[in-house]
Amino acid sequence: MTSTSGTTSTSTSRTGMARDKWLGGVARNTTARTSTAITDIGVAASKTARSTLKTTDVKTYYKIRDTCVSGLTPKFTQLQSFDKNTKLKYLKLVHSIVTRLQHLQKSLERNDMHDVFVVLSNIEYDTAALDYMATAFATPVNLFTDASSVTLDTVTHANAYFLKYGKDYHGENVLWSGEKILASS
């Protein structure tokens, strides 16, 4: 059964728990995480396959984390201004940026961290929930292919939604992918 509660689209599983399509079909947290809990996610959270490692093989868990947040090689470079004499150099730089973004996307997919790069197209403040929630008109937007179709505020609210209401691994993926991008520049 699918229902629209407030402005968030959910469905109910056989166990009666509401599943959130924006969180990959898992049940949404009933209350938002505090900022302290969000900060702790980057160190203490795990994705389904990583959760067991955290208790049974901590050393491997941290090796995985280090791999997930390590920067890309070569690093992103800042574009330089160009004139009529530097067209080839400019094209090489542009190609380099496109190639780096593709490399970043593949790296995130390999580490199962790409889910947080598909954000909600329409997210608004819900007075009943007292927080930003997906509207009934929200559709998924892949930031690697359609980033120009959303605003920075939309991405900010979507990331906050993942951090507050998603599973621990959603928060981990938001924080770790941010670290990876920063380490790649």
Side-chain angles (χ1 to χ4, degrees):
M1 163 168 79
T2 301
S3 65
T4 303
S5 155
T7 56
T8 301
S9 179
T10 60
S11 64
T12 306
S13 70
R14 282 183 255 170
T15 60
M17 295 193 64
R19 296 185 177 273
D20 191 310
K21 71 178 182 179
W22 303 114
L23 298 175
V26 297
R28 181 169 75 90
N29 288 344
T30 54
T31 57
R33 285 187 181 89
T34 64
S35 10
T36 305
I38 290 171
T39 303
D40 292 343
I41 282 176
V43 177
S46 59
K47 186 133 182 180
T48 347
R50 297 179 225 154
S51 61
T52 311
L53 284 176
K54 194 183 258 184
T55 57
T56 60
D57 191 353
V58 176
K59 186 176 180 180
T60 302
Y61 170 80
Y62 281 105
K63 281 183 182 179
I64 291 170
R65 183 196 180 282
D66 290 345
T67 300
C68 289
V69 301
S70 66
L72 301 174
T73 309
K75 306 284 185 200
F76 285 98
T77 55
Q78 190 172 16
L79 281 177
Q80 309 283 322
S81 60
F82 70 99
D83 59 23
K84 63 182 178 182
N85 299 323
T86 58
K87 288 184 181 182
L88 182 59
K89 180 180 177 183
Y90 175 75
L91 289 174
K92 287 181 180 177
L93 286 172
V94 170
H95 179 265
S96 174
I97 288 173
V98 171
T99 304
R100 294 293 95 219
L101 287 173
Q102 290 170 344
H103 186 129
L104 174 65
Q105 182 178 7
K106 286 180 180 160
S107 176
L108 292 170
E109 287 170 357
R110 266 193 319 273
N111 292 305
D112 200 13
M113 295 170 32
H114 60 286
D115 54 348
V116 294
F117 282 83
V118 177
V119 299
L120 316 172
S121 65
N122 197 347
I123 191 162
E124 294 178 0
Y125 191 77
D126 184 334
T127 54
L130 299 176
D131 211 346
Y132 285 90
M133 297 289 181
T135 68
F137 307 105
T139 58
V141 176
N142 185 326
L143 293 178
F144 284 108
T145 58
D146 298 318
S148 62
S149 67
V150 294
T151 65
L152 184 57
D153 282 343
T154 300
V155 174
T156 301
H157 296 313
N159 281 337
Y161 184 78
F162 282 126
L163 289 167
K164 290 178 180 179
Y165 298 105
K167 296 297 177 192
D168 286 347
Y169 59 78
H170 288 111
E172 188 175 66
N173 288 350
V174 167
L175 297 171
W176 287 9
S177 62
E179 286 184 50
K180 181 173 207 66
I181 291 169
L182 290 174
S184 298
S185 55

